[in-house]
Amino acid sequence: MPPVVIALDGPSGSGKSSTARGVASRLGLAYLDTGAMYRAMTWAVLERGVDVEDADAVAAAAAEVVIESGTDPQAPTITADGVDVAGPIREQAVTDAVSQVSRVPAVRERLVALQRLTIAEHADGIVLEGRDIGTVVAPDAPLKLYLVADTAARAARRAAEQGQDEAAHVEATAASLQRRDAIDSSRTTSPLAKADDAVELDTTHLTLDEVVDEVVRLAVKAVPDLGGPAS
Ligand SMILES: Nc1ncnc2c1ncn2[C@@H]1O[C@H](COP(=O)(O)OP(=O)(O)OP(=O)(O)O)[C@@H](O)[C@H]1O
Ligand SMILES: Nc1ccn([C@H]2C[C@H](O)[C@@H](COP(=O)(O)O)O2)c(=O)n1
């Protein structure tokens, strides 16, 4: 049996992590936040004092870094070189540099290999979210979703999460999301893209619970075995 993978892709702040965690919890599946892996790699590269514009230096540094992800959707974890980096990877310095680091093919090769290993370890079911899950990491996934939401909604949600809903902050957040989307969509190696067979879901006017309900419904339809007692 091929591994049961639910692939969730989409632009920054479209609700991938929250949705993926909710779906994995509801269906009793593992969960992998691949964006956290790219952020952890970026944190480690910055810690080494590497210029993220220098792709060769990034590739050399990245070869040494050990990234480990915990896949419990209720308590996901992420470490780089044994350090718990769950907090630091959300800081602005990492957010500003992560798209540059993610463009480097050697970084992607390493992390995609790790992601596929994690899929193999959870063949009975895992929800992965990122930018290239449906197109590159798990092209045979039985269910692929591409989440989108208006930039204004994404920025407002992110700003609210940070407890900073003043107009200037929301505007700066929108600019940061758009800047990352532009770099992530235009890179040569596995850019942010909707897989041809992915279902696009616009979450702008949906609550998180409504989105999770819809993805669970689609998952059970695509993989009827998922509709067992855990859901
Ligand atoms: N449908 C929704 N309605 C309202 N708020 C939502 C919805 N989906 C997600 N959110 C909120 O929006 C914020 C961003 O969501 P989340 O972190 O899941 O997005 P993401 O796509 O994983 O972002 P990133 O790409 O930056 O990691 C969170 O505060 C989350 O609670
Ligand atoms: N599969 C992935 C996941 C993430 N990235 C890059 C691009 C994002 O800007 C960055 C951070 O991801 P986030 O935490 O915002 O989901 O990581 C990627 O290239 N491929």
Side-chain angles (χ1 to χ4, degrees), residues 12 16 33-36 38-39 90 98-99 102 108 115 129-133 180 184 187:
S12 302
K16 302 178 299 294
D33 176 352
T34 65
Y38 285 94
R39 285 173 180 271
R90 303 293 160 193
V98 64
S99 288
S102 309
R108 302 203 72 80
Q115 290 154 16
E129 57 99 347
R131 303 295 189 290
D132 60 344
I133 309 303
R180 274 202 292 140
D184 296 342
R187 65 175 175 240

Side-chain angles (χ1 to χ4, degrees), residues 8-21 31 33 35-36 39 90 95 129-131 147-149 153-162 177 180-181 184 202-212:
L8 276 178
D9 290 302
S12 302
S14 55
K16 302 178 299 294
S17 311
S18 324
T19 304
R21 288 181 68 179
Y31 158 74
D33 176 352
R39 285 173 180 271
R90 303 293 160 193
T95 299
E129 57 99 347
R131 303 295 189 290
L147 296 192
V148 296
R154 293 188 282 140
R157 290 170 183 174
R158 180 64 81 212
E161 176 188 271
Q162 295 165 338
L177 293 173
R180 274 202 292 140
D181 289 346
D184 296 342
D202 185 341
T203 74
T204 307
H205 303 293
L206 299 177
T207 66
L208 180 55
D209 280 347
E210 287 170 333
V211 179
V212 171

Side-chain angles (χ1 to χ4, degrees), residues 141-213:
L143 179 63
K144 302 177 187 177
L145 274 300
Y146 191 78
L147 296 192
V148 296
D150 288 355
T151 305
R154 293 188 282 140
R157 290 170 183 174
R158 180 64 81 212
E161 176 188 271
Q162 295 165 338
Q164 289 180 275
D165 58 1
E166 64 278 14
H169 183 74
V170 176
E171 213 172 292
T173 303
S176 168
L177 293 173
Q178 285 179 310
R179 177 185 157 274
R180 274 202 292 140
D181 289 346
I183 301 174
D184 296 342
S185 309
S186 62
R187 65 175 175 240
T188 322
T189 310
S190 47
L192 162 67
K194 176 182 168 298
D196 291 340
D197 53 351
V199 176
E200 182 166 315
L201 189 56
D202 185 341
T203 74
T204 307
H205 303 293
L206 299 177
T207 66
L208 180 55
D209 280 347
E210 287 170 333
V211 179
V212 171
D213 284 349

Side-chain angles (χ1 to χ4, degrees), residues 105-116:
V107 168
R108 302 203 72 80
E109 264 170 48
R110 278 209 67 203
L111 294 185
V112 169
L114 265 180
Q115 290 154 16
R116 290 185 175 148

